[in-house]
Amino acid sequence: MTYVVLHNRNTGEDFRYEVPTREAQALIDLASAARRPIDWAVKEASTDLLVPGSLAMD
């Protein structure tokens, strides 16, 4: 199990999820492949996840 904290850029809310590493990485990869800006950022994540700069919290 690993964790990821997602930040909603519209509401300012943070959501912490503890999920299997493979599922967390798949979600991050899917979000980074989007061709339009998304409303979510990765605020914090386990060190075993690869978070692209476009999704990293500013």
Side-chain angles (χ1 to χ4, degrees):
M1 296 295 273
T2 190
Y3 77 94
V4 62
V5 178
L6 299 178
H7 174 77
N8 184 306
R9 293 178 174 165
N10 293 323
T11 65
E13 294 176 284
D14 293 334
F15 301 90
R16 181 183 174 99
Y17 298 98
E18 292 195 25
V19 294
T21 302
R22 196 164 54 184
E23 282 82 352
Q25 189 65 58
L27 177 63
I28 291 169
D29 293 345
L30 180 63
S32 69
R35 296 197 182 270
R36 60 184 176 85
I38 60 170
D39 297 331
W40 296 92
V42 176
K43 184 173 184 177
E44 187 178 324
S46 294
T47 57
D48 55 341
L49 295 174
L50 300 175
V51 179
S54 63
L55 290 180
M57 184 81 180
D58 296 333

